[in-house]
Amino acid sequence: TLSLQTLFRSEAGRSARILEQTVRQQLSDYIVAHQEEFYRLAYSYVKNRDAALDVVQESIVKALAKSDTLRRPEYLKTWFYRILLNESMNHHRRAKRLVPLEDTLLETPAPARDPGERLDLYDAIERLDWKEQTVVRLRFFEDMKLEEIARVTNTNLNTVKSRLYKSLRRLRELTEEEC
């Protein structure tokens, strides 16, 4: 005879497996529906098509492997974007340590910029520090709300706001335009 406790554990295990399958299916659907956005964000960090595809692929692999750690499915978007950002930053760090031989041999000083020359917005964003770039890209390129950005970056909402406004002021200065 089965005890009530054994039956309860069996049902709880079955429910957990169903919930995990549901989360994995939601994750899979989300990935398929938004893959171009993921690529665009990764590319904005790594500036290379193949590297961006690698970052997205690695993010997907990690997300699928860790889908059981997603406690609240309503945070799927911010959870995945955090993984994507972390992978982008990891790639960026690894790439900074590697300097191709051709680059060291052919290094020439960059031509001096005319201070009156207007910077392209993308160039100006590249001049921001990493945290500011992240806030700007998520807010304006990925159309995320400030609360979502705070969750993705694991940062206080007021810190996200101050980084955004500081970044916008800096971009205005760099581009000499009204933002």
Side-chain angles (χ1 to χ4, degrees), residues 3-174:
S3 70
L4 189 56
Q5 207 172 31
T6 305
L7 185 60
F8 179 72
R9 274 194 297 241
S10 174
E11 271 306 306
R14 190 177 4 255
S15 295
R17 282 190 300 279
I18 290 171
L19 181 61
E20 187 177 325
Q21 289 171 349
T22 303
V23 169
R24 281 183 72 85
Q25 186 58 50
Q26 287 176 337
L27 177 59
S28 296
D29 293 346
Y30 180 72
I31 289 169
V32 169
H34 299 280
Q35 58 190 333
E36 290 176 13
E37 296 164 22
F38 303 148
Y39 170 78
R40 186 177 60 236
L41 182 63
Y43 186 86
S44 73
Y45 282 103
V46 299
K47 303 291 185 254
N48 176 292
R49 179 185 176 280
D50 293 331
L53 290 170
D54 288 345
V55 165
V56 172
Q57 180 179 351
E58 195 60 37
S59 299
I60 291 169
V61 167
K62 282 190 177 183
L64 289 171
K66 299 288 184 179
S67 64
D68 59 328
T69 65
L70 178 61
R71 289 175 289 233
R72 298 180 62 187
E74 63 269 20
Y75 291 132
L76 176 71
K77 177 181 179 180
T78 55
W79 178 80
F80 186 81
Y81 268 94
R82 181 177 294 170
I83 294 170
L84 183 63
L85 283 176
N86 287 339
E87 282 305 306
S88 296
M89 286 187 272
N90 288 341
H91 183 278
H92 185 72
R93 282 187 208 114
R94 285 190 304 264
K96 275 175 47 176
R97 286 185 291 209
L98 301 174
V99 179
L101 182 59
E102 301 84 41
D103 289 355
T104 56
L105 295 176
L106 300 175
E107 270 187 17
T108 56
R113 275 193 184 263
D114 178 356
E117 181 181 321
R118 186 183 72 77
L119 276 177
D120 180 70
L121 180 59
Y122 293 103
D123 292 336
I125 291 171
E126 288 298 314
R127 290 183 166 200
L128 299 174
D129 79 26
W130 186 265
K131 292 176 181 177
E132 292 169 344
Q133 286 181 34
T134 298
V135 172
V136 168
R137 287 179 172 137
L138 291 177
R139 177 68 187 105
F140 297 108
F141 298 160
E142 300 303 320
D143 202 28
M144 284 191 180
K145 295 178 182 164
L146 296 177
E147 294 82 9
E148 290 177 312
I149 296 169
R151 281 196 304 268
V152 166
T153 59
N154 200 24
T155 307
N156 179 296
L157 177 61
N158 289 327
T159 303
V160 169
K161 289 178 183 179
S162 68
R163 283 182 187 158
L164 177 63
Y165 298 124
K166 178 183 173 190
S167 301
L168 292 176
R169 275 195 308 276
R170 185 123 183 269
L171 288 172
R172 188 177 302 123
E173 292 167 4
L174 290 170

